[in-house]
Amino acid sequence: MSNGTTRKHTALPKAQILIEALPWLTRHHGKTVVIKFGGNAMVNEELKAAFAQDIVFLRHAGLRPVVVHGGGPQISAALDKHGIVSEFKAGLRVTTEDAMDVVRMVLAGQVQRELVGLLNQHGPLAVGLTGEDAHTITATKHQPEIDGELVDIGRVGEITEIDTGAIEALLADGRIPVVSSIARSQDDGHVYNVNADTAAAALAAALGAETLMVLTDVEGLYEDWPNSDEVISRLTASQLEKLLPELSSGMVPKMEGCLHAVRNGVNTARVIDGRVQHSILLEIFTDEGIGTMVLPDEHEGDAT
């Protein structure tokens, strides 16, 4: 076989893949997407590098990505090192003053720095900030209810306000904002640890994002877990609301975040499998899509 023929055979499938992306590129051009980075994608080196490539790809494809991250495993490891016991109540980390110092140090000084570094291997793109910067995220003390009692879990915040000014300015300048889920306090000059899924959803709504994507360590929302591993590929806000009480505790803030986003102007919210390399590109630029997509209720009849 001559060289020219071989070239044609390898080039055509590549061209077809690019062409398949065209309608999605057109649809998403200039749109803001908020991506919550977490789970395995955050600790596995190959997945981390692939995530950074995907985000840069979105930026060069004309989208405006905003990355929000927490850092559960990294925080637990650092607290261990400082001899502080990790304790969880109602699925949230009990955050003492001492623990809060460590949380802030890990999120803003370690996890965020690493991600900014990975993104910036591709150009002067990423800028890191926390919710403290320019009043991006404001919170008051969150007290979860356990067995009818309000429980004090320390410096854990409930978001009361979002100011998107700094993020909008970075996006307008062609940058990729990378936001750590720490909030300034509305009332006492301290800072709060806020759930990163919740922070990503609140930012997506405030930015009027086209879509919210939450990376997880599962394939999506399962139809009837643990009896079945069929993934629900799409559902409406109302359908999701009915399912919430049955979900595992780790999925609750993710799915509540998706619900909040689509009820507050975000067109779609998706939970996708961060263990699959380039899952973000597959989700945004192909017909198949992976994971679970949540749509606002008015899409009830639109099951295409």
Side-chain angles (χ1 to χ4, degrees), residues 164-297:
T164 57
I167 291 177
E168 293 279 10
L170 287 167
L171 290 171
D173 194 29
R175 312 290 180 185
I176 301 170
V178 177
V179 188
S180 306
S181 61
I182 301 164
R184 67 184 278 268
S185 166
Q186 184 175 295
D187 31 43
D188 67 5
H190 288 277
V191 294
Y192 283 110
N193 181 13
V194 292
N195 179 291
D197 298 316
T198 314
L203 276 171
L207 286 162
E210 164 76 10
T211 194
L212 165 69
M213 302 177 87
V214 181
L215 266 66
T216 63
D217 283 341
V218 291
E219 289 167 63
L221 199 55
Y222 294 112
E223 195 94 44
D224 180 22
W225 186 258
N227 309 319
S228 139
D229 61 359
E230 278 296 298
V231 171
I232 303 170
S233 63
R234 51 202 298 149
L235 75 173
T236 63
S238 299
Q239 288 168 331
L240 172 58
E241 199 164 31
K242 288 195 192 85
L243 286 180
L244 276 178
E246 301 158 30
L247 301 182
S248 67
S249 63
M251 270 316 247
V252 170
K254 292 176 172 51
M255 298 319 300
E256 278 180 343
C258 288
L259 190 60
H260 174 80
V262 299
R263 289 240 159 111
N264 288 278
V266 178
N267 286 344
T268 62
R270 309 135 189 256
V271 170
I272 62 171
D273 192 345
R275 300 166 305 175
V276 176
Q277 276 205 22
H278 302 299
S279 53
I280 292 169
L281 293 190
L282 292 170
E283 180 62 35
I284 287 197
F285 294 124
T286 68
D287 301 336
E288 280 76 62
I290 54 172
T292 297
M293 184 191 294
V294 184
L295 298 157
D297 286 327

Side-chain angles (χ1 to χ4, degrees), residues 106-135:
V106 171
L107 292 182
Q110 182 188 328
V111 180
Q112 181 203 87
R113 291 296 96 208
E114 185 179 11
L115 187 49
V116 166
L118 284 169
L119 290 164
N120 287 344
Q121 285 175 8
H122 304 276
L125 297 168
V127 178
L129 61 157
T130 80
E132 301 163 72
D133 290 303
H135 291 192

